[in-house]
Amino acid sequence: MQKQLQLLRDLQELDTEKKAVENEQQTGLNEQMALKAELDRLQGMVDSLAGEISILGGEKAELVNIMALEQENVERSESRLPQIKTQKEYVAVLKEVDTANKLAKESQSSIDAKNEILESLVADKAEKDDELAASTEQADARCAEIDASLVAVNKKLAEMDRQRGVFLEELPKSLRKRYELLMARRAGVAVVEARGGACLGCHMHLPPQMFNSLFIINEVQSCPHCNRLLFVTAPD
Ligand SMILES: [Zn+2]
């Protein structure tokens, strides 16, 4: 029985340590995920700026075409002026020239406005490109570090699982079940010390007779309040 209790204590110690190592593993994985999410966020901003630049570039190209057409119209109308015979026709052509000039000018000022926005978008994108490149470099280096530590962590966990299997194998099936059930129901603490007449798992007082019996009875006993398996180290 003392051997069983010792096994249970060893198992509890191992499982507590294992939980800490698993937390370490999760912390590493979480950090990697956070780094990746940040890179995705930056990439999303770069992509969105590239999209805006592309749309604006298309709109600008359209305006450039319109302006070229209006300039052609101006030239064509102007070239007709020398052949004009009547005053009425002359006025009409001049009006055409005037309208085409006005449209060309409007296109030019729209192009100027687009250029201004484009310039600021391109500058924004260049800044975000740099930020993304720097963050990618940092994240890659950090992820490689985490990967290296995770290799060690995983190795440690595998060794713990192996050792755990050995402990479990040596326990009677019923005790093993009680242990596993308590681990699940009592937040990973199934085996606790009883000291000063109390269970250190739930801090409730144990019946004095029962507490005293822990020092003499060769049987694994449960706390009547929290059901955890109890051990004692030295008489008070
Ligand atoms: Zn208890």
Side-chain angles (χ1 to χ4, degrees):
M1 270 317 157
Q2 279 311 310
K3 184 172 175 266
Q4 282 181 3
L5 205 50
Q6 188 56 51
L7 260 174
L8 284 167
R9 289 175 63 179
D10 290 344
L11 191 56
Q12 177 68 69
E13 200 181 318
L14 179 77
D15 276 342
T16 302
E17 202 190 329
K18 191 178 161 210
K19 206 172 167 188
V21 176
E22 279 168 348
N23 284 343
E24 200 185 322
Q25 180 189 46
Q26 197 53 54
T27 302
L29 292 173
N30 287 348
E31 192 184 341
Q32 284 185 331
M33 275 201 291
L35 286 167
K36 201 186 165 301
E38 173 60 9
L39 291 184
D40 286 347
R41 189 186 69 84
L42 285 171
Q43 184 68 61
M45 289 174 87
V46 167
D47 290 348
S48 139
L49 283 167
E52 280 181 66
I53 288 169
S54 159
I55 289 171
L56 217 59
E59 289 170 358
K60 182 187 153 184
E62 220 169 286
L63 285 167
V64 168
N65 278 339
I66 292 171
M67 198 179 71
L69 282 176
E70 293 307 335
Q71 274 165 348
E72 270 173 41
N73 286 342
V74 169
E75 281 164 30
R76 199 172 42 240
S77 300
E78 279 176 344
S79 71
R80 280 167 55 205
L81 286 174
Q83 287 105 53
I84 287 170
K85 304 271 181 336
T86 68
Q87 175 72 15
K88 196 180 165 196
E89 208 184 332
Y90 193 79
V91 169
V93 172
L94 274 187
K95 202 177 166 199
E96 267 175 38
V97 169
D98 194 45
T99 305
N101 260 329
K102 208 174 146 204
L103 287 171
K105 218 180 226 170
E106 275 172 17
S107 302
Q108 184 58 58
S109 68
S110 295
I111 290 169
D112 290 346
K114 299 266 181 218
N115 274 338
E116 209 170 303
I117 302 171
L118 266 174
E119 209 174 292
S120 115
L121 285 175
V122 167
D124 275 0
K125 183 174 176 291
E127 202 178 298
K128 290 285 168 235
D129 278 335
D130 286 350
E131 199 181 327
L132 177 61
S135 297
T136 302
E137 199 178 317
Q138 278 176 10
D140 285 351
R142 181 66 190 131
C143 281
E145 260 177 37
I146 295 170
D147 275 339
S149 73
L150 282 179
V151 168
V153 163
N154 289 337
K155 206 172 150 192
K156 208 167 170 183
L157 282 176
E159 170 54 22
M160 285 176 152
D161 279 337
R162 191 199 60 76
Q163 183 60 56
R164 192 172 195 273
V166 172
F167 286 154
L168 286 176
E169 202 59 39
E170 287 179 46
L171 276 178
K173 212 170 191 172
S174 61
L175 214 46
R176 195 166 140 178
K177 267 195 178 154
R178 268 167 84 185
Y179 177 82
E180 298 281 23
L181 201 67
L182 282 165
M183 283 301 277
R185 291 191 181 164
R186 293 283 177 254
V189 183
V191 184
V192 292
E193 189 179 353
R195 197 193 294 162
C199 161
L200 295 191
C202 64
H203 301 284
M204 299 283 279
H205 276 277
L206 301 167
Q209 208 176 348
M210 185 213 165
F211 178 67
N212 290 333
S213 77
L214 287 170
F215 294 93
I216 39 176
I217 293 182
N218 267 343
E219 190 190 333
V220 178
Q221 296 192 71
S222 289
C223 165
H225 309 291
C226 69
N227 283 324
R228 289 188 180 94
L229 306 171
L230 300 168
F231 68 87
V232 281
T233 44
D236 278 17

